[in-house]
Amino acid sequence: MATKNRSVKKIEFPTDKKSEKWKSPQIDFPRDGEVVGGGHYAVRISAEGGAEVEISFDDGDWMSCRYAVGHWWFDWSPVNQGEKRLRARARVDQGKWHQSNEVRCQIA
């Protein structure tokens, strides 16, 4: 059985330092207003590839995320039903932290 060669696509980020968008992380999943079931959920965050990325739930402690497949991830296992507020932050440019917009989701 023949296999195809798959090349890894390098992610390019804008280099315009006047643009805040390239520095700020974004929570891709869950989406704002999404209903999340209990059990395992992989939170996906887009941020500059070389950045250090952390996540916080309901203004709690910041926890490190892992980098894989062009995104940052946090393995989450929510247990309590109700609304959760998520925020990510990335350390870029001389150690400054840049925060994402808050994402709210419902745990079913």
Side-chain angles (χ1 to χ4, degrees), residues 45-64:
I45 301 165
S46 293
E48 185 172 351
E52 177 184 354
V53 176
E54 297 179 338
I55 191 166
S56 173
F57 298 91
D58 297 327
D59 296 321
D61 293 337
W62 291 99
M63 297 172 280
S64 296

Side-chain angles (χ1 to χ4, degrees), residues 8-12:
V8 175
K9 186 175 182 179
K10 185 177 178 184
I11 298 172
E12 297 293 330

Side-chain angles (χ1 to χ4, degrees), residues 64-105:
S64 296
C65 298
R66 62 183 169 82
Y67 184 77
V69 204
H71 294 282
W72 292 85
W73 303 87
F74 185 83
D75 295 310
W76 184 32
S77 297
V79 291
N80 296 328
Q81 293 183 344
E83 184 179 80
K84 289 289 180 188
R85 295 175 292 114
L86 291 69
R87 188 175 299 271
R89 68 180 185 178
R91 186 192 306 264
V92 294
D93 269 356
Q94 297 120 15
K96 296 178 183 176
W97 286 102
H98 297 271
Q99 288 193 13
S100 70
N101 290 331
E102 184 177 84
V103 169
R104 292 173 182 252
C105 64

